[in-house]
Each structure stands twice: as structure tokens, then as C-alpha cells.
Amino acid sequence: MDDAPDLTPPVVILDKPQLADNIGAVARVMANFGLDKLRLVSPRDGWPQDRAWATASGADWVLEGVQVFDSVAEAVADLTLVYATTARHRELRLPVLTPREGSAKLHDAAGQGQGIGLLFGGERAGLETTDIALTQGIVTIPIDPKHHSLNLAQAVAINAYEWRTGVLNAPPPRFRDEAPPASQAQLEGMYGHLETELEAGGFFHPPEMKPAMSRNLRVMLGRAGLSAQEVATFRGVIHALAKGRGRALAKLAAKRDADRQD
């Protein structure tokens, strides 16, 4: 796991989960976003369950570390800040946050060395009010009220994603490693090549407009932030177009000569 070393990710607590497939799917998304501590409260079919491994897609370390408890109170006993996730309104005087807001507060608490967690209800009935009362707030996902049904793994994934973006708020390195930009000398060579061929093709007309037109082309191409490889490719395009124009002109000249001879 490659989270920041000073932040311990939240524990994910599933209250009375019913299906092993869902437990495995939760483990999978937890592993996707760097969470590895999963606790189960009174799983309907007991634990362990082979089907969970089948749907975890290789996130075995999450399932192998599962802890099982008889009650929510026991599962959260060692944690300082726990948020309950629910879409239903509850008559409780608790803060109600979005996953992003909740994640920010979890990060603050983790930075202070506190134990943190996210509590999710079972598939059939969600969380009991008495269990939510054991937490310090409610996290609710701002979904469309016309269809507010999310499966368990989806709810965990959204909250886990928000945690992850707070830890590593940048694309993975393999997406950030771009080719270095072209040097000014390489760009000047490309500009000169392009202007030479455009001049030969009669692009700069009237002639007095050439300086302004050349400047506009340079600004437009400069905004692209071309790499050295892209400059080479673009020059290849210019060369091919110029070569093709030369062949076309040669064919036209040959045709005119043939017509004159006739």
C-alpha cells in the first residue's frame, strides 16, 4: 500500500453484510484505493466465505485481514472518528457531510494519529439508528433522488476514492511522465521549414502580410507545447506535403508539354 506514511487509512466496517460476493467486491475497491482494514459485524453466513475471494479479484490481503465482531459498538471501540454512511434521513443531531467533506475531516484526524473508520449498513436494511448514534457524523452521497439505490461496493468505492484523492491528489506517475518539450532550436527549425514551404506554395499573399501571418503561425504552434518527437513528426508532414506538391506540379508540366506536342 502506498498511502502517505503518516496517514493510516480508515477502517471499513460492514454491519450485517449478507452476500459473500458483496464482501469480496468491497475488498476489491478497498484495495483499488489503498484501504486494507475490513471489519465485519455479524455477517449473515459467517466468515470466511469462499465466494468473497472469488469476487475480490486478487485483493486477498484485505480478506485475509478481516476482523469479525458481534456488534457495531465492539467494531468501533478502538476508533476515534467514525462516520456512518446512509442515504436515509435520521432524527439524530449529527453532522451530515458529503464523502468529500467527510474525507477531509478523516484526513485531519488521521494526521493527528487518531483511529478513523467508515461504517456501512447491510444490503437489506442499511444501518440501525442505534448504531449510527455510535458514530460522530453521517456521510451521505449526493445521488439523484429519482434513483437513490447504490450497492454496497459502490458506496464504499465512492468514499474510498475521496480518501485516496486527498492522499495522492495527482495522476499516477506513469501518466505524468511526458516526453520533454522541444528545444527552441528545434522549434525554430520547424518554423523555418514550414515558412519556406508555405512561401513556395504561395500562402503568404499579399506579401506585406507575411510577417504578421508568420507570427500568428508561431504563436499558434507554440501553444501546443510540442515535444521533440512531435516536432520531427510535423516536419515529416511538411516534407511529405511539399514532395507531393512537387509531384503534382511535375505531372501538370508533363501534361502541358504533351498537349503542346499534340
Side-chain angles (χ1 to χ4, degrees):
M1 189 174 61
D2 56 0
D3 286 309
D6 58 340
L7 288 181
T8 299
V11 174
V12 172
I13 305 148
L14 305 183
D15 182 32
K16 302 179 183 65
Q18 294 180 286
L19 301 176
D21 300 61
N22 287 340
I23 296 172
V26 165
R28 177 179 182 176
V29 298
M30 287 176 60
N32 288 153
F33 297 110
L35 283 66
D36 64 350
K37 294 180 176 62
L38 178 60
R39 298 179 181 179
L40 307 179
V41 177
S42 301
R44 185 188 65 181
D45 300 325
W47 188 259
Q49 303 173 37
D50 291 342
R51 283 295 303 168
W53 269 262
T55 55
S57 294
D60 296 345
W61 67 95
V62 178
L63 295 176
E64 288 163 1
V66 163
Q67 294 177 289
V68 181
F69 297 83
D70 293 327
S71 68
V72 171
E74 293 173 327
V76 303
D78 63 331
L79 304 177
T80 303
L81 179 62
V82 180
Y83 287 132
T85 62
T86 180
R88 300 206 308 268
H89 177 70
R90 308 298 179 123
E91 297 298 329
L92 294 171
R93 294 179 60 82
L94 288 172
V96 179
L97 310 169
T98 66
R100 187 161 301 172
E101 293 168 335
S103 177
K105 293 186 179 298
L106 290 171
H107 275 91
D108 290 342
Q112 298 170 25
Q114 299 179 28
I116 57 176
L118 289 163
L119 174 63
F120 297 84
E123 300 92 324
R124 184 181 62 83
L127 289 170
E128 299 289 341
T129 302
T130 54
D131 292 325
I132 296 175
L134 298 170
T135 69
Q136 287 69 53
I138 292 172
V139 167
T140 188
I141 300 169
I143 55 181
D144 194 314
K146 290 186 294 185
H147 192 66
H148 56 75
S149 175
L150 282 177
N151 69 36
L152 186 55
Q154 288 174 327
V156 173
I158 290 170
N159 283 276
Y161 168 80
E162 292 296 345
W163 166 267
R164 185 68 170 181
T165 56
V167 174
L168 297 173
N169 195 14
R174 65 181 179 276
F175 288 98
R176 298 198 300 269
D177 292 340
E178 299 177 351
S183 68
Q184 198 58 39
Q186 290 169 325
L187 290 173
E188 284 297 326
M190 180 186 71
Y191 296 148
H193 188 183
L194 178 61
E195 289 172 6
T196 296
E197 296 303 335
L198 290 175
E199 181 80 55
F203 177 76
F204 298 115
H205 183 78
E208 60 270 20
M209 291 298 295
K210 179 179 178 180
M213 296 170 76
S214 294
R215 184 171 59 251
N216 289 341
L217 285 169
R218 286 170 178 248
V219 169
M220 178 178 66
L221 291 170
R223 282 200 303 266
L226 300 175
S227 68
Q229 179 58 55
E230 289 169 335
V231 166
T233 300
F234 194 75
R235 293 194 67 168
V237 170
I238 298 169
H239 177 74
L241 290 173
K243 187 176 181 181
R245 185 182 67 240
R247 288 174 176 171
L249 291 174
K251 287 181 179 178
L252 287 174
K255 185 176 185 303
R256 282 198 299 266
D257 290 344
D259 290 344
R260 287 172 185 161
Q261 291 174 4
D262 291 342

